[in-house]
Amino acid sequence: MKPWNSSRALGFGVALYFVLLYLLPLNGRLLWQPDETRYAEISREMLQRGDWVVPHLLGLRYFEKPVAGYWFNNISQWLFGDTNFAVRFGAAFSSGITALLVFALAMMMWRQRRTAWLAALIFLSMTLVFGIGTYNVLDPMIALWLTAAMASFYLAWRSERPGKKLAAYVLLGLACAMGVMTKGFLALAVPVIAVLPIAIRQRRFRELLIYGPAAVIAAVLLCLPWALVIARREPDFWHYFFWVEHIKRFAEANAQHRAPFWYYLPVIMAGSLPWLALLPGSLRKGWIERRARPELFFLLSWVVMPLLFFSIAKGKLPTYILSCMAPLALLMAAYAVDCAAAFRHGVFRLNAAINIVFGALCIAVVVVMGFGLLSPHSLYNRQEWPKIIIGVIAFAGWVLFAALSGRRGGQRFAWAAACPLLLALLVGYVIPQNTVNNKQPQHFIRANADLLNHDGYLLSNNVGVATTLAWELKRSDIEIYRDKGELSYGLAYPDAQGHFVSEADFPDWLSQARRHGNVALLLRLDDDQSYIRNLPDADAVRRQNWLALYFYRQRP
């Protein structure tokens, strides 16, 4: 494949690439708990209840996120059924639309289709983007709305006619509103932080004062109907969502997922693969040419300012900086095109070398860890040697395409995008069984369907396992045993008291429950398993790694 074929061929290639990397693998692996099963079950229950306003999990109020992200999953499950493909399609679809926005932004900036398609290809092939974009979380959706907001601001920035500028600000407000209804008020903070240096440099404060209210009004009008309805139905929603999910999570000393300030530096480096060699030069180019090419400063501010914001926050996760990858892909595309035009192919040869080394190291890790060559504890058991072979093939593909991208002195650099293809297609067949048992309870639940598929009582001590159980059996009446976890808030409501069974109350509760039906207790075991000895004798016990099933038959 030559990097500079016709734009139509490039567009077809990017579309085919999206299908191969994002759509085909979706149904090829089980759901991971707790994230994927949580969001799958919330949407399933929304469809089952016919309630698209108040999110519920296991029949309990669940106020950690607003509602628009669930709408994506609702529509996906409505179209494709209760499948793993449907669960992940909303994230993949959001990533695909974001790639189209990257293409549109590149066209607005440079009027070159080949550069625009290259930017979309770089974006889709970044490990952080496709890793999260094929995983059922809400971050690809919030990244979509933040990209749409920044694209709208750029359109307003470039528009000369007042009417067109006003329309762009209205689009900005609508995109921010959808972001707020997807994941909260960060959808307002991130665009403001990103555009602040741009407004200062371009002296656009007067424009912001004139047209900014239109964006605010549009955002309020779009959010207001749902905000009022949920406030009327659940008066405590906004208090909990603002103070607990925003202030505590990001600012307090005991925030969730605490990490040091530099946390995102290795994340963004690893997330930029297979384009890591382009990262320093593209950022440097955005700064050096900020005066001659204002669009590069726009992109640089869009990358750096949110990155600093999330680095300062106490709570950190890799998914938080997904919104930085679209502008980074645009910067990389601009840098790559300029390097190719000036015959500076050294960066492409370096990129190929980095990918070859990375793929080779991953092959070595799979072989060494898989066969336990340096440790008595291997990733795989003896019967899983085919998975090691598949893992080697997946990363051998990374090495092969990396080598191809370095041919002819780096002129075929676009082939680097193909590095993750085999890995994405084969990863579902490489996961060790120990990991499957630990993080993908669907396997254990399906293997023990004879004891779980009944009309009696089901309990679990782990919310992630409980949501997997609910998703697999298509029932939300899973009781929580011993550990409330993230359901503590929902369980505190008076009408939810019967959904929790403490360790001390379990024997008495069990004797009463067995009069009305079978009881199955599915446990995720931890290091301290002393509580297992206090359980009443079960009629059947099945255990696999960190999962254990205790089955009690009905005794009228």
Side-chain angles (χ1 to χ4, degrees):
M1 182 184 77
K2 294 182 180 180
W4 305 117
N5 284 335
S6 69
S7 61
R8 181 176 297 180
L10 282 171
F12 176 79
V14 173
L16 178 62
Y17 184 84
F18 176 76
V19 172
L20 292 174
L21 192 68
Y22 282 79
L23 298 184
L24 285 186
L26 295 185
N27 215 41
R29 61 185 189 274
L30 299 175
L31 299 180
W32 289 73
Q33 64 91 16
D35 292 331
E36 289 200 298
T37 54
R38 177 200 302 125
Y39 294 125
E41 180 59 18
I42 290 172
S43 289
R44 190 195 69 81
E45 291 184 30
M46 280 186 135
L47 289 173
Q48 184 183 57
R49 297 163 67 97
D51 182 0
W52 289 48
V53 175
V54 182
H56 286 78
L57 180 60
L58 302 181
L60 305 169
R61 296 168 181 85
Y62 193 78
F63 293 163
E64 289 201 1
K65 299 291 184 294
V67 76
Y70 304 134
W71 290 345
F72 270 67
N73 291 336
N74 293 358
I75 295 171
S76 179
Q77 290 184 30
W78 178 67
L79 289 173
F80 303 113
D82 296 330
T83 64
N84 293 352
F85 178 89
V87 168
R88 297 182 174 117
F89 180 77
F93 176 80
S94 299
S95 300
I97 300 300
T98 305
L100 290 178
L101 288 174
V102 168
F103 173 84
L105 263 170
M107 287 297 296
M108 282 192 285
M109 291 176 174
W110 303 305
R111 303 294 181 184
Q112 296 178 355
R113 286 185 175 272
R114 292 171 180 174
T115 304
W117 283 125
L118 177 63
L121 183 64
I122 290 175
F123 173 77
L124 288 173
S125 58
M126 288 174 161
T127 54
L128 186 66
V129 175
F130 78 79
I132 301 173
T134 55
Y135 184 72
N136 181 30
V137 287
L138 303 182
D139 299 273
M141 301 165 199
I142 186 64
L144 165 61
W145 297 122
L146 291 175
T147 304
M150 293 301 293
S152 300
F153 180 79
Y154 186 79
L155 180 62
W157 184 33
R158 294 289 300 270
S159 299
E160 299 294 336
R161 291 182 297 173
K164 191 174 181 180
K165 192 180 293 287
L166 177 63
Y169 271 95
V170 170
L171 289 175
L172 169 62
L174 296 177
C176 288
M178 289 302 299
V180 169
M181 290 197 296
T182 298
K183 209 172 179 183
F185 299 109
L186 285 176
L188 300 177
V190 171
V192 170
I193 292 168
V195 304
L196 188 59
I198 303 166
I200 293 173
R201 179 168 182 77
Q202 297 292 323
R203 298 178 182 177
R204 296 289 185 112
F205 286 106
R206 183 173 178 271
E207 177 183 308
L208 290 176
L209 291 175
I210 294 174
Y211 294 98
V216 174
I217 292 171
V220 170
L221 289 177
L222 185 57
C223 286
L224 196 59
W226 171 75
L228 292 176
V229 171
I230 197 168
R232 185 176 69 249
R233 289 182 51 182
E234 300 292 344
D236 197 41
F237 175 85
W238 288 110
H239 172 266
Y240 174 86
F241 182 67
F242 180 76
W243 289 108
V244 176
E245 289 302 312
H246 283 76
I247 304 302
K248 290 185 177 181
R249 174 165 290 194
F250 289 97
E252 290 192 356
N254 61 346
Q256 291 182 329
H257 315 298
R258 294 194 67 193
F261 177 84
W262 50 264
Y263 173 84
Y264 286 116
L265 292 180
V267 171
I268 204 165
M269 290 176 64
S272 297
L273 285 168
W275 306 100
L276 179 57
L278 276 63
L279 177 62
S282 60
L283 295 176
R284 183 173 178 269
K285 179 183 181 65
W287 177 251
I288 291 178
E289 301 183 22
R290 63 189 183 279
R291 292 185 176 88
R293 301 179 64 178
E295 78 278 6
L296 296 184
F297 182 74
F298 175 90
L299 296 172
L300 185 65
S301 178
W302 182 3
V303 173
V304 173
M305 295 303 291
L307 189 63
L308 288 174
F309 172 76
F310 287 115
S311 296
I312 293 170
K314 299 294 185 182
K316 296 179 178 69
L317 282 175
T319 55
Y320 292 169
I321 63 165
L322 184 60
S323 58
C324 299
M325 305 312 286
L328 188 57
L330 286 158
L331 282 171
M332 287 181 171
Y335 177 61
V337 168
D338 286 354
C339 287
F343 299 100
R344 298 196 307 269
H345 295 152
V347 66
F348 304 132
R349 293 193 293 271
L350 176 61
N351 194 62
I354 290 174
N355 282 313
I356 290 172
V357 171
F358 173 78
L361 286 176
C362 288
I363 291 173
V365 169
V366 169
V367 172
V368 171
M369 298 294 291
F371 288 110
L373 300 181
L374 298 180
S375 170
H377 304 289
S378 62
L379 288 176
Y380 300 94
N381 58 48
R382 292 182 178 179
Q383 291 75 34
E384 292 185 283
W385 62 265
K387 292 185 177 182
I388 302 177
I389 303 302
I390 296 173
V392 169
I393 292 172
F395 287 109
W398 193 297
V399 173
L400 174 64
F401 288 117
L404 187 58
S405 72
R407 292 189 61 194
R408 295 189 179 179
Q411 294 182 46
R412 298 179 179 270
F413 71 91
W415 275 104
C419 287
L421 271 178
L422 279 181
L423 177 62
L425 292 170
L426 297 176
V427 67
Y429 307 98
V430 177
I431 302 172
Q433 189 60 44
N434 287 339
T435 303
V436 171
N437 296 335
N438 188 31
K439 301 297 291 185
Q440 298 178 318
Q442 279 179 295
H443 176 79
F444 184 80
I445 291 170
R446 291 173 182 177
N448 294 281
D450 57 322
L451 298 184
L452 291 169
N453 201 0
H454 57 79
D455 295 328
Y457 298 89
L458 299 173
L459 301 90
S460 180
N461 67 329
N462 179 271
V463 176
V465 174
T467 54
T468 309
L469 192 59
W471 169 257
E472 279 295 301
L473 301 181
K474 311 308 176 193
R475 51 185 291 187
S476 59
D477 59 335
I478 312 297
E479 314 295 343
I480 301 301
Y481 166 72
R482 195 170 180 266
D483 186 7
K484 297 179 181 180
E486 64 191 85
L487 297 179
S488 296
Y489 184 81
L491 287 166
Y493 279 82
D495 59 358
Q497 297 303 303
H499 289 274
F500 175 74
V501 181
S502 68
E503 183 178 357
D505 293 338
F506 181 71
D508 292 336
W509 179 91
L510 178 64
S511 63
Q512 294 293 326
R514 294 178 79 175
R515 297 178 183 178
H516 305 285
N518 296 328
V519 176
L521 173 62
L522 183 55
L523 299 174
R524 189 185 187 285
L525 306 176
D526 50 32
D527 293 332
D528 180 13
Q529 300 175 17
S530 58
Y531 62 92
I532 296 295
R533 294 191 292 269
N534 298 325
L535 288 174
D537 293 336
D539 296 296
V541 177
R542 296 179 184 176
R543 180 169 175 173
Q544 190 174 52
N545 294 89
W546 294 98
L547 292 174
L549 173 60
Y550 287 74
F551 181 76
Y552 302 89
R553 297 192 184 279
Q554 181 178 5
R555 291 183 179 176

